[in-house]
Amino acid sequence: MRVKFSNNYPIINLYKKKSIASKIVTQMLYGENFTILRKFGNWCKIKLHTDNYVGFIIGKKFAKPSKPTHKVSVLAANIYGKPFIKAKKKKQLTFSSKIHAKEQYSSFIKFENSWIRTKDLKPINYKDKNIFSRINLFIGRKYKWGEKNFNGLDCSALVQLFFNFNNQFCPRDAKDQLNYFKKKVKLQNIRKNDLIFWHGHVAIILSKNKLIHAYGPSKKVLIMNVNYAIKRIKKTANLKIIGIRRTN
């Protein structure tokens, strides 16, 4: 019997195999719903509802599936034990985490047994006019394979996070994103919000001359000149562009 739950922890790693020595393939954020497909002792094989991604997690005490009312709109939102700025901070929720609001007091919203500032949230149905308008939040964040949070993330997670925040589906991995977005674009016709792909890598076009990506060799999220990035990736990894896709 497959059982559905909601993640009530700030971040949970999904592993490729039933071992913490295995690769982290993605992460589950607070408020994401998932299905347990099968249990293996302390381990569970699960499927995320956000993108149908399958991986292994260490079993915990999870919450029942919830319908979120708000989402985190800042890089990292502090969680408080009480509705006061000077109250003891618990942990932080990363961008695009989702909560179910129970009540509001002053400038705070209560969820579960914690409080979060209303200014760090947007209603769940809110959408940015420009899907990547908040992308600068992640400039300088560390490159970390398989992760997607304020401490670090990889190239395809940087793309997926903003589609998820704006209530749109986007696959988790670069190869699947390339196939999901159908409209092909030539390099000379690129424009803002196009995605440019190499084998195993993706970047977001900011303008005719600039792109942003979580770039492994530099170990961080950074803005680069488009032509420079193409030449650098060709020189250091011997990779050519395999596709450019329009997202809107």
Side-chain angles (χ1 to χ4, degrees):
M1 180 179 179
R2 297 183 174 185
V3 185
K4 297 179 180 179
F5 291 98
S6 181
N7 177 29
N8 51 341
Y9 297 86
I11 298 168
I12 290 181
N13 293 332
L14 269 71
Y15 295 91
K16 187 175 182 179
K17 299 178 181 179
K18 304 184 293 293
S19 168
I20 58 173
S22 175
K23 276 187 178 180
I24 296 174
V25 290
T26 191
Q27 290 181 317
M28 177 165 51
L29 307 186
Y30 190 97
E32 281 197 74
N33 292 328
F34 65 98
T35 298
I36 293 180
L37 302 177
R38 189 176 175 185
K39 291 186 177 181
F40 302 86
N42 293 329
W43 287 85
C44 299
K45 184 178 183 180
I46 72 163
K47 183 177 183 179
L48 298 180
H49 294 185
T50 304
D51 54 16
N52 299 319
Y53 213 93
V54 175
F56 293 89
I57 64 170
I58 298 172
K60 299 176 182 287
K61 187 176 181 180
F62 295 109
K64 294 180 180 179
S66 64
K67 187 175 182 180
T69 58
H70 296 77
K71 52 194 173 188
V72 175
S73 57
V74 296
L75 181 65
N78 291 324
I79 306 171
Y80 299 86
K82 295 181 180 180
F84 305 102
I85 292 295
K86 293 183 179 179
K88 185 178 180 181
K89 297 176 185 176
K90 293 184 175 181
K91 293 185 178 180
Q92 292 179 303
L93 295 186
T94 197
F95 175 77
S96 199
S97 298
K98 297 172 176 63
I99 68 162
H100 178 82
K102 289 184 174 181
E103 63 177 282
Q104 183 169 350
Y105 177 83
S106 185
S107 59
F108 284 80
I109 282 178
K110 185 177 184 181
F111 69 102
E112 293 293 329
N113 296 313
S114 302
W115 295 84
I116 189 170
R117 289 184 292 181
T118 53
K119 74 181 189 69
D120 293 339
L121 302 169
K122 291 291 184 187
I124 196 65
N125 291 327
Y126 171 88
K127 294 181 180 181
D128 288 319
K129 290 182 179 179
N130 170 14
I131 197 167
F132 294 114
S133 63
R134 300 168 192 267
I135 197 76
N136 286 354
L137 289 173
F138 285 89
I139 292 177
R141 296 293 98 185
K142 293 179 180 179
Y143 176 93
K144 292 186 178 181
W145 175 271
E147 298 191 18
K148 59 174 186 178
N149 68 83
F150 62 86
N151 279 321
L153 71 175
D154 61 30
C155 63
S156 55
L158 183 64
V159 173
Q160 189 195 44
L161 272 174
F162 287 90
F163 279 92
N164 288 169
F165 177 78
N166 286 283
N167 306 327
Q168 295 184 45
F169 175 81
C170 178
R172 175 61 176 87
D173 296 333
K175 67 180 187 330
D176 297 319
Q177 292 172 0
L178 174 65
N179 293 325
Y180 178 74
F181 295 102
K182 303 296 184 184
K183 190 171 183 180
K184 298 179 180 180
V185 180
K186 293 182 178 180
L187 183 60
Q188 61 266 32
N189 297 325
I190 59 171
R191 72 184 190 196
K192 189 175 183 178
N193 295 350
D194 287 345
L195 300 178
I196 181 168
F197 293 89
W198 294 261
H199 180 71
H201 186 62
V202 59
I204 302 159
I205 298 295
L206 298 177
S207 69
K208 281 284 187 181
N209 300 313
K210 300 289 183 181
L211 59 74
I212 185 170
H213 54 169
Y215 188 49
S218 294
K219 299 181 180 179
K220 63 181 178 180
V221 176
L222 74 170
I223 294 174
M224 278 186 180
N225 175 275
V226 172
N227 289 330
Y228 171 75
I230 292 170
K231 290 177 182 177
R232 180 170 178 177
I233 293 172
K234 178 68 172 73
K235 182 179 179 180
T236 58
N238 196 29
L239 295 176
K240 296 181 180 180
I241 295 171
I242 58 174
I244 303 174
R245 298 290 186 267
R246 186 137 295 162
T247 60
N248 53 20

